[in-house]
Amino acid sequence: MLRTEERQRLARERREEREKQHAAKETQILEKERKAKLQYEKQLEERQRKLKEMKQKEEQRRAAVEEKRKQKIEEEKERYEAVLHRTLERSQRLETRQKRWSWGGSVTPDPEGKAASKRSPSTANLKQAEAAVSKCLSSSAALPNASDRTRRSQLSPLDSSVISRLLAPTQASLARSKSAATLSAD
């Protein structure tokens, strides 16, 4: 009987020992699971934080690119307006030069204080020039093989000078061509 009690006591102790070991293993497993869960949550938070930072950086980069684009557009607009302004100034200067050097004559007042005639002698003789040109054209129709010199020799000296002046390029037309070339180059 003593031996049976001894055996039961040893069996009980072994059972208790196994239960303790089992409980310890279970505690370890639960602890590992808890740590793994904490680690996963920490990694998830870190990933979300990084994604948020990346989104912010991307938004900042986009905003910077958009700002740069707006600046570039503004600079191009200002450059275009400056070119337009310079072109307008140039054309106004050319117009004033053309008015100054045109056949319209001087616009300055005469010494007596009266306004000077805007017509130069050549414009006053415009009708004569038209008549001479039409005469020259009609004579060229009659004489198709006649040269320019022959036709001009048939005209009066005044008509001849008016026609040669009409045929020669004016300073204004030369300035206009130069301005057009400059504008097309711009």
Side-chain angles (χ1 to χ4, degrees):
M1 192 136 160
L2 238 148
R3 238 174 146 179
T4 313
E5 281 180 10
E6 183 70 25
R7 267 191 258 154
Q8 285 179 351
R9 186 180 60 80
L10 285 173
R12 204 179 318 121
E13 283 177 0
R14 279 193 298 254
R15 203 172 38 243
E16 285 174 1
E17 188 64 34
R18 273 195 305 255
E19 284 175 1
K20 280 182 185 176
Q21 285 177 352
H22 185 68
K25 278 185 178 179
E26 217 169 285
T27 308
Q28 281 179 344
I29 290 171
L30 287 172
E31 185 63 26
K32 279 183 179 178
E33 285 178 357
R34 189 182 66 79
K35 282 182 179 179
K37 190 176 179 183
L38 283 173
Q39 182 71 19
Y40 175 74
E41 287 173 355
K42 191 177 177 182
Q43 286 175 348
L44 196 63
E45 285 175 5
E46 184 69 21
R47 209 175 290 142
Q48 286 175 344
R49 186 184 61 79
K50 283 183 180 177
L51 281 172
K52 193 175 179 181
E53 283 177 2
M54 284 174 59
K55 281 182 183 178
Q56 285 177 341
K57 283 181 183 177
E58 183 64 23
E59 285 175 10
Q60 288 174 347
R61 190 187 65 78
R62 282 185 186 155
V65 166
E66 183 65 23
E67 185 63 31
K68 221 177 210 180
R69 189 183 67 81
K70 283 180 182 178
Q71 251 181 351
K72 194 173 182 180
I73 289 173
E74 190 63 32
E75 286 171 3
E76 287 176 2
K77 185 179 176 183
E78 287 173 3
R79 199 176 308 127
Y80 173 75
E81 287 174 355
V83 167
L84 191 64
H85 184 69
R86 282 196 306 267
T87 305
L88 287 174
E89 281 181 349
R90 245 186 245 138
S91 65
Q92 286 174 351
R93 276 185 288 187
L94 284 174
E95 283 177 21
T96 32
R97 276 193 208 145
Q98 288 170 2
K99 286 177 184 173
R100 232 184 296 152
W101 297 105
S102 71
W103 287 3
S106 169
V107 289
T108 56
D110 60 5
E112 297 170 3
K114 299 176 185 173
S117 170
K118 289 186 179 180
R119 292 191 179 117
S120 66
S122 59
T123 23
N125 295 329
L126 188 59
K127 288 187 180 177
Q128 284 181 351
E130 285 176 7
V133 170
S134 64
K135 181 179 168 188
C136 182
L137 288 174
S138 65
S139 70
S140 70
L143 303 168
N145 294 330
S147 68
D148 268 352
R149 287 186 191 148
T150 313
R151 276 185 245 135
R152 284 189 192 155
S153 65
Q154 295 171 354
L155 300 173
S156 70
L158 176 63
D159 292 341
S160 175
S161 69
V162 167
I163 287 175
S164 58
R165 237 180 121 182
L166 283 171
L167 292 174
T170 62
Q171 287 182 349
S173 68
L174 292 173
R176 275 194 302 274
S177 347
K178 187 176 180 183
S179 171
T182 306
L183 285 176
S184 65
D186 284 347

